[in-house]
Amino acid sequence: MDASELVEFERHRPRLFALAYRMLGSASEAEDAVQETYLRWAASANAEIRSPEAWLTTILVNLCRSWLDSARARRETYIGPWLPEPVATGAAELGPLESVEQRELVSLAFLTLLERLTPAERAVFVLREAFGYAHREIADMLDLTEANSQQLYRRATQHVREDRPRFDPAPAHAYALYEKFLVAAGSGDVAALEAMFTADIVSVADGGGKINAARRPVVGAAKVAHYLVKLFATEIPGLSVGVEDVNGAPAIVARSHGTTILVLAAEITDDRMAALRLVANPDKLAYFTRTDTIAPRTA
């Protein structure tokens, strides 16, 4: 591979990572998928490739489809709930996040929702919804007919429409609510926490069996409030907790001596938190710790 071909690949790398992450919900696996795509690009250096973007996208998305098949089997034996790996928005690795729709599609809530799709449905949905590819282009990449691509897209849209997360488009409001949350949780104020929650709030924690986290969803304002007060009362050396931009939205990030130990993201609706997702599995936070950049706060 000559220098120009390497430069060409590097030009596409950010988009490939953003695509792989949306397909897999895992930043570390997305890195592996991009690296495997690079190896195949290097091996085909002498081939005549008319459109590097189309060629690379085709290789990557089909790798991700295969990996999703095997991932389903692995997640059946996963200890406790499975949540996506968080990515710091400030690292600019998720691609353009200029609109509410773009930010929603990379939220932890929405990436969790995409887990219910088949690999083919997810590929079509991500290529169409997040990257704007035409069905004709998608059909070529996935070896489908255009009609089949349209059908898969309709089916995927129906699957996610019912439980589409409630996404708050006002970061300043979310920041203020998170700050109140931290004060209440840190002081053990159960009543104040309950007042911030909807009655049917659900808290889901991903500890992967490696961290002491609830292995079943905690449901209801009172139960979630008591659970969080107990969690935040745990003494941790070198602890720092703040609100940062994660996956296109504000989230709580806790670190111990600079190592990320918890990312907490909430669905916010009508001035209250309706759902919480806590990622505490250290394997899920290794990429975040390695690449995180504290994004500017939106006021």
Side-chain angles (χ1 to χ4, degrees):
M1 176 179 290
D2 61 30
S4 64
E5 290 167 327
L6 178 58
V7 169
E8 179 68 21
F9 180 85
E10 291 300 325
R11 187 170 70 86
H12 293 282
R13 183 187 288 273
R15 184 183 58 82
L16 294 173
F17 177 85
L19 171 57
Y21 178 69
R22 287 164 174 81
M23 280 289 297
L24 301 169
S26 167
S28 54
E29 290 180 357
E31 276 194 316
D32 291 342
V34 172
Q35 180 62 20
E36 178 62 28
T37 302
Y38 167 75
L39 293 175
R40 297 193 184 192
W41 170 259
S44 65
N46 296 323
E48 185 176 338
I49 298 174
R50 288 179 295 177
S51 172
E53 177 183 335
W55 191 94
L56 291 167
T57 303
T58 299
I59 295 296
L60 180 83
V61 76
N62 282 290
L63 278 172
C64 290
R65 286 176 64 189
S66 297
W67 289 13
L68 282 172
D69 283 327
S70 60
R72 290 195 169 199
R74 293 195 304 273
R75 288 169 191 173
E76 287 178 0
T77 59
Y78 193 80
I79 300 175
W82 183 95
L83 292 175
E85 290 184 19
V87 174
T89 305
E93 293 176 288
L94 299 180
L97 299 176
E98 299 166 358
S99 68
V100 172
E101 292 76 15
Q102 288 172 330
R103 295 195 299 274
E104 178 192 24
L105 291 174
V106 295
S107 68
L108 293 181
F110 198 80
L111 289 172
T112 303
L113 191 59
L114 291 182
E115 287 295 303
R116 66 177 56 180
L117 303 182
T118 67
E121 288 171 346
R122 187 162 182 168
V124 171
F125 185 86
V126 168
L127 288 168
R128 178 69 176 165
E129 194 85 356
F131 292 87
Y133 283 101
H135 282 293
R136 175 181 52 79
E137 297 172 297
I138 296 172
D140 289 341
M141 291 177 192
L142 303 181
D143 195 22
L144 305 168
T145 65
E146 189 170 345
N148 193 205
S149 176
Q150 293 169 340
Q151 182 183 43
L152 287 168
Y153 178 71
R154 285 194 298 269
R155 192 183 303 159
T157 303
Q158 290 171 355
H159 286 325
V160 302
R161 182 183 297 148
E162 296 177 1
D163 297 320
R164 194 152 187 153
R166 293 162 279 193
F167 191 81
D168 186 356
H173 169 67
Y175 269 114
L177 189 60
Y178 275 122
E179 295 289 359
K180 288 174 58 180
F181 173 93
L182 286 176
V183 171
S187 62
D189 193 337
V190 172
L193 282 174
E194 286 191 54
M196 284 182 249
F197 299 156
T198 60
D200 60 348
I201 186 173
V202 178
S203 174
V204 177
D206 181 342
K210 300 186 176 183
I211 294 294
N212 185 21
R215 295 189 180 182
R216 294 181 180 178
V218 181
V219 182
K223 290 183 178 179
V224 172
H226 282 91
Y227 168 64
L228 289 172
V229 164
K230 184 178 179 180
L231 177 67
F232 275 77
T234 304
E235 292 190 13
I236 300 173
L239 180 66
S240 63
V241 183
V243 185
E244 303 173 18
D245 282 356
V246 179
N247 285 72
I252 290 172
V253 179
R255 296 182 178 86
S256 174
H257 297 299
T259 298
T260 307
I261 58 173
L262 174 71
V263 171
L264 185 157
E267 288 179 42
I268 299 172
T269 181
D270 298 330
D271 297 326
R272 294 190 177 188
M273 294 180 173
L276 301 177
R277 289 175 177 81
L278 294 78
V279 182
N281 183 345
D283 293 341
K284 296 281 187 76
L285 297 172
Y287 181 89
F288 191 96
T289 297
R290 178 162 56 86
T291 63
D292 71 342
T293 301
I294 298 178
R297 290 182 45 158
T298 305

